[in-house]
Amino acid sequence: MQTLLKDFSDFDYKNLNNQVVIFGAGTIGRLTDLALKKNGIKSNIFVDSDPRKQGKEIQSKKIISPDELKKFDTDSTHIFIACNYFSSIVPFLKKNNFTNFYKVTNILKKVDTYKLYNEIDMDMLFSKLLPLKLERNLAFYNEMCNKEDYITNDKLVLKSIDVQITEKCSLKCKDCSNLMQYYKKPVDSDYDLLVNSMDKIMSSVDFIDELRVLGGDPFMNKELNKIINKLVTYKNVGRIVVYTNARFIPKNQNLDYLKQPRVILDITDYGEASAAAGKYVEFAKKEGIAYSINSCNTWQDCGRIIPNNKKTEKELEHQFNNCCNSDLVSLLHGKLYRCPFSANGVNLKAFASIKDDEINLSDNSIGKKELRDKIMHLSFGKKYLAACRFCNGRDYATANIPSAIQTKSKLDYKFQN
Ligand code: SF4
Ligand code: SF4
């Protein structure tokens, strides 16, 4: 097996001349720092692309920029990549002649991550994660760093698919990154079309770690129970996660489908807008539903369709490679897209997609092998999307704004090209 990233076991930790660098000063980076320490390895420094973190200290170590890392000796510097941006970090390291870079999967497997999580420095991080959420974040990381191995071994393993089951939402966030604020006459996804599309996808892929069931608000679709009961029949899926903005708990509905193995309720608490957040937690505890909750006071300023300001190819590639949503393959109305912004922008006819940016699952002339190749290309072969031209991007440089500010009326947009 040709492995791009080295494993922790390849690291010569007895060589005292080694500089140990952790790339990524987020939760996984901090966990890696503590896990290395528990295994007798002292890391020296963090690197992070986010200018807001650079120059600061966490866990008694300085955070430097990737530009500063370029000055380090390439032979004796060993870099543990502890964030999900492999598609931009690995080319950067290679371009600057670093050869010793590692994934952190196995070092984290050697420790009790949740116990260690309670010891990390929380400065510049959001609120504490519940164990289930941390476990999912680590699974996400593992899928991202195994991507190269999967491609080399012709395995089609996806970390997730967003199964968008409605355009409706119980909130009207003016900066919704899924573009719900632009739908004037929102509709639910057609059940038969959705099932037909999912059957085709699931028989073409080897494994999907998470099916993320969302909208809008998935509870606005009265067929949510039927959809979940169908999704749990797929054996090659790790988890089925149902998202809620906690606006309300559906009344007079049997929610037993949420109690099934592999089904998780993911509650986002937007404060005042999420009036039922507390009730959801009580309900989930009482009913034995696996759940996680996270509060969200700010999010990135990426929820709007912007005019085409003629970004260069290089700028588009940079935006795509550093986007935290560019790996959220999304199913909407029988078509598969690379990200939810692309899915909803094309569906709204706010802009057109380019060749290979979408797969029409209703096209019966596409055979199983061809569909597998197309999904492989959509998931791993894109340099950027047509949608990136009309999107503000979602990287460390995108401004943070208050989350869930409500709009009274739906927003207007014009076709962009
Ligand atoms: S961001 Fe707001 S409008 Fe968009 S799906 Fe979530 S709750 Fe609904
Ligand atoms: S359109 Fe491009 S930049 Fe915007 S969310 Fe999708 S992949 Fe990211």
Side-chain angles (χ1 to χ4, degrees):
M1 181 190 292
Q2 184 196 336
T3 306
L4 178 68
L5 293 160
K6 292 186 183 182
D7 189 71
F8 162 68
S9 54
D10 302 322
F11 176 65
D12 175 12
Y13 59 91
K14 295 197 178 80
N15 186 344
L16 295 176
N17 293 325
N18 286 338
Q19 274 274 17
V20 178
V21 172
I22 298 173
F23 206 124
T27 301
I28 297 176
R30 296 168 202 217
L31 279 171
T32 301
D33 175 44
L34 298 184
L36 286 170
K37 195 170 160 196
K38 286 217 177 297
N39 282 276
I41 302 167
K42 192 176 169 306
S43 67
N44 305 92
I45 208 152
F46 285 97
V47 178
D48 203 288
S49 304
D50 186 344
R52 291 166 297 194
K53 291 182 183 163
Q54 292 159 8
K56 302 210 169 120
E57 262 194 21
I58 46 164
Q59 298 178 181
S60 307
K61 282 161 198 111
K62 204 175 159 198
I63 306 172
I64 61 165
S65 70
D67 272 346
E68 286 171 273
L69 178 65
K70 284 184 198 169
K71 297 174 201 147
F72 283 44
D73 175 62
T74 51
D75 288 333
S76 60
T77 301
H78 293 255
I79 302 161
F80 288 82
I81 304 177
C83 61
N84 297 328
Y85 298 98
F86 293 95
S87 41
S88 58
I89 294 171
V90 171
F92 167 82
L93 295 176
K94 281 179 162 179
K95 191 173 160 208
N96 290 289
N97 303 317
F98 290 102
T99 51
N100 301 312
F101 40 92
Y102 306 78
K103 53 187 171 188
V104 303
T105 314
N106 285 335
I107 181 74
L108 292 181
K109 270 195 193 144
K110 286 163 86 79
V111 293
D112 178 341
T113 37
Y114 200 69
K115 203 167 156 208
L116 214 54
Y117 175 67
N118 286 313
E119 295 172 27
I120 66 169
D121 184 343
M122 286 299 291
D123 189 24
M124 298 179 284
L125 293 181
F126 292 117
S127 57
K128 279 260 178 193
L129 303 174
L130 289 177
L132 195 54
K133 188 77 177 180
L134 180 66
E135 189 191 304
R136 283 174 55 211
N137 287 356
L138 292 172
F140 183 119
Y141 169 85
N142 290 338
E143 291 305 327
M144 293 298 280
C145 70
N146 287 335
K147 225 165 151 182
E148 198 67 24
D149 282 347
Y150 293 146
I151 297 168
T152 309
N153 293 296
D154 195 30
K155 284 238 175 270
L156 184 47
V157 177
L158 303 183
K159 75 170 181 48
S160 66
I161 285 192
D162 279 17
V163 183
Q164 186 175 333
I165 66 166
T166 185
E167 299 164 353
K168 299 173 189 164
C169 193
S170 49
L171 288 177
K172 291 188 175 62
C173 306
K174 78 175 176 57
D175 306 295
C176 171
S177 60
N178 278 15
L179 306 178
M180 296 303 114
Q181 66 279 40
Y182 292 103
Y183 282 101
K184 298 231 160 102
K185 290 185 180 163
V187 296
D188 292 331
S189 301
D190 177 80
Y191 177 78
D192 291 330
L193 178 60
L194 191 137
V195 166
N196 183 40
S197 307
M198 282 306 304
D199 282 348
K200 285 188 177 176
I201 294 168
M202 297 315 300
S203 62
S204 302
V205 303
D206 293 302
F207 191 75
I208 299 179
D209 195 47
E210 270 190 11
L211 293 178
R212 298 163 26 110
V213 181
L214 37 69
D217 177 351
F219 288 93
M220 301 288 280
N221 184 327
K222 298 284 180 285
E223 294 187 305
L224 177 60
N225 59 340
K226 258 170 85 182
I227 294 168
I228 300 301
N229 288 336
K230 169 65 186 172
L231 298 183
V232 295
T233 64
Y234 298 120
K235 301 280 180 270
N236 49 345
V237 165
R239 284 172 288 258
I240 295 135
V241 184
V242 184
Y243 283 78
T244 176
N245 57 23
R247 182 66 179 162
F248 69 99
I249 297 189
K251 281 192 183 137
N252 309 322
Q253 274 185 39
N254 183 346
L255 300 180
D256 281 356
Y257 58 90
L258 293 172
K259 295 183 194 170
Q260 301 180 80
R262 295 186 294 154
V263 177
I264 296 170
L265 179 66
D266 190 302
I267 307 163
T268 307
D269 181 358
Y270 293 115
E272 213 176 291
S274 301
K279 282 190 189 147
Y280 257 114
V281 171
E282 272 173 39
F283 173 74
K285 280 184 181 164
K286 187 166 151 258
E287 298 295 326
I289 294 167
Y291 77 98
S292 61
I293 179 164
N294 52 295
S295 51
C296 175
N297 303 321
T298 60
W299 59 26
Q300 288 183 302
D301 183 14
C302 55
R304 68 201 138 88
I305 300 157
I306 61 169
N308 185 353
N309 52 13
K310 311 282 181 217
K311 293 169 196 165
T312 63
E313 293 258 319
K314 211 171 157 201
E315 286 167 338
L316 288 165
E317 281 181 27
H318 178 85
Q319 179 176 323
F320 182 74
N321 284 332
N322 288 285
C323 172
C324 64
N325 264 17
S326 65
D327 274 295
L328 293 184
V329 173
S330 301
L331 173 68
L332 177 59
H333 299 319
K335 289 184 179 169
L336 207 55
Y337 303 84
R338 178 65 186 259
C339 81
F341 186 94
S342 171
N344 286 288
V346 173
N347 184 46
L348 282 158
K349 299 192 173 48
F351 46 79
S353 58
I354 45 176
K355 188 175 174 285
D356 301 339
D357 270 11
E358 65 180 58
I359 302 170
N360 183 358
L361 296 156
S362 304
D363 181 350
N364 290 327
S365 70
I366 303 175
K368 198 167 155 182
K369 167 80 175 75
E370 190 185 351
L371 180 59
R372 185 180 164 91
D373 290 346
K374 279 179 179 286
I375 298 176
M376 186 76 101
H377 179 69
L378 182 73
S379 310
F380 306 130
K382 302 296 298 182
K383 287 187 170 170
Y384 60 86
L385 310 173
C388 299
R389 296 183 196 282
F390 314 107
C391 171
N392 206 24
R394 294 194 69 156
D395 68 9
Y396 48 83
T398 312
N400 277 341
I401 54 172
S403 64
I405 302 293
Q406 300 297 289
T407 169
K408 284 204 173 75
S409 48
K410 295 290 181 154
L411 304 190
D412 291 323
Y413 62 97
K414 283 195 288 206
F415 179 76
Q416 307 289 333
N417 60 22

